[in-house]
Amino acid sequence: MKKIIIVVFIIMFSSCKENDEEQKLMYKQLVNYRDELKMNTRDIDAYIQNFIEKEKIYKSKTEGRNGILLEYEKSFEKLKFKERDKIVKLRDSFNREHKLNLHFDTSNYDNNISDTVFNRLMEIDFYRLKISFQNRYLVGHRCM
């Protein structure tokens, strides 16, 4: 719920004409949220690696799934600051292909937000997808 509120807040403020101070505050909040998600993914990665070291049998089960995630990360990094349509298409196809069922509101992505805000939103979506993938396919599919 927190994620939805933040995204609505961002889109609402980005569609209005604001002064520079409000935009800076919004951008700072986006960066803070992105950093929080980034730390969460790193923590999950560390947890998975620690679990694999203890339980060698799960290494073979998670290698293929880790490969899928690494391929998505590479694709995202290639498109990160380029065409909006391609990055949105990559995000949506990864979401559909792996049945992660995350909802992304893209109604204001066309012309209503700046490139820097768009890039932060895409990073946030990337980390949301990564966490969802990790929880569904890496953390959620092992017997502890």
Side-chain angles (χ1 to χ4, degrees), residues 5-40:
I5 292 171
I6 290 174
V7 170
V8 170
F9 175 78
I10 292 165
I11 292 172
M12 182 179 70
F13 279 109
S14 65
S15 65
C16 302
K17 297 289 181 187
E18 305 154 10
N19 63 26
D20 288 337
E21 222 170 281
E22 288 175 339
Q23 288 180 352
K24 288 178 185 177
L25 175 64
M26 178 184 62
Y27 186 78
K28 187 175 181 177
Q29 289 173 338
L30 278 174
V31 170
N32 288 338
Y33 184 52
R34 183 218 41 205
D35 291 344
E36 180 183 324
L37 290 172
K38 190 176 189 178
M39 291 304 296
N40 287 342

Side-chain angles (χ1 to χ4, degrees), residues 114-126:
S114 68
D115 287 340
T116 55
V117 171
F118 175 79
N119 290 330
R120 292 313 139 246
L121 287 171
M122 288 300 104
E123 285 179 324
I124 288 169
D125 290 349
F126 165 76

Side-chain angles (χ1 to χ4, degrees), residues 37-143:
L37 290 172
K38 190 176 189 178
M39 291 304 296
N40 287 342
T41 61
R42 287 182 181 170
D43 290 343
I44 294 171
D45 283 337
Y47 176 78
I48 292 167
Q49 290 304 319
N50 188 27
F51 187 77
I52 288 173
E53 288 175 13
K54 289 181 182 177
E55 302 290 333
K56 298 288 183 186
I57 194 168
Y58 295 108
K59 184 175 184 174
S60 62
K61 291 182 179 181
T62 59
E63 279 180 347
R65 294 175 184 151
N66 273 330
I68 291 169
L69 197 54
L70 288 173
E71 185 67 31
Y72 175 62
E73 287 177 24
K74 288 177 186 176
S75 299
F76 178 78
E77 288 299 320
K78 285 180 187 176
L79 296 173
K80 196 172 189 177
F81 299 110
K82 296 184 179 162
E83 295 180 44
R84 289 183 179 201
D85 293 339
K86 288 184 180 180
I87 193 118
V88 169
K89 189 175 181 179
L90 173 69
R91 178 201 66 191
D92 293 342
S93 66
F94 188 81
N95 188 27
R96 272 191 312 275
E97 184 178 334
H98 299 288
K99 298 176 178 69
L100 300 175
N101 302 322
L102 294 177
H103 175 70
F104 302 106
D105 182 23
T106 59
S107 60
N108 291 332
Y109 282 0
D110 293 333
N111 297 318
N112 295 338
I113 59 174
S114 68
D115 287 340
T116 55
V117 171
F118 175 79
N119 290 330
R120 292 313 139 246
L121 287 171
M122 288 300 104
E123 285 179 324
I124 288 169
D125 290 349
F126 165 76
Y127 286 116
R128 287 180 57 209
L129 281 169
K130 185 174 178 181
I131 290 171
S132 182
F133 186 88
Q134 287 171 324
N135 288 333
R136 184 171 183 156
Y137 294 108
L138 297 171
V139 177
H141 281 280
R142 70 190 182 307
C143 302

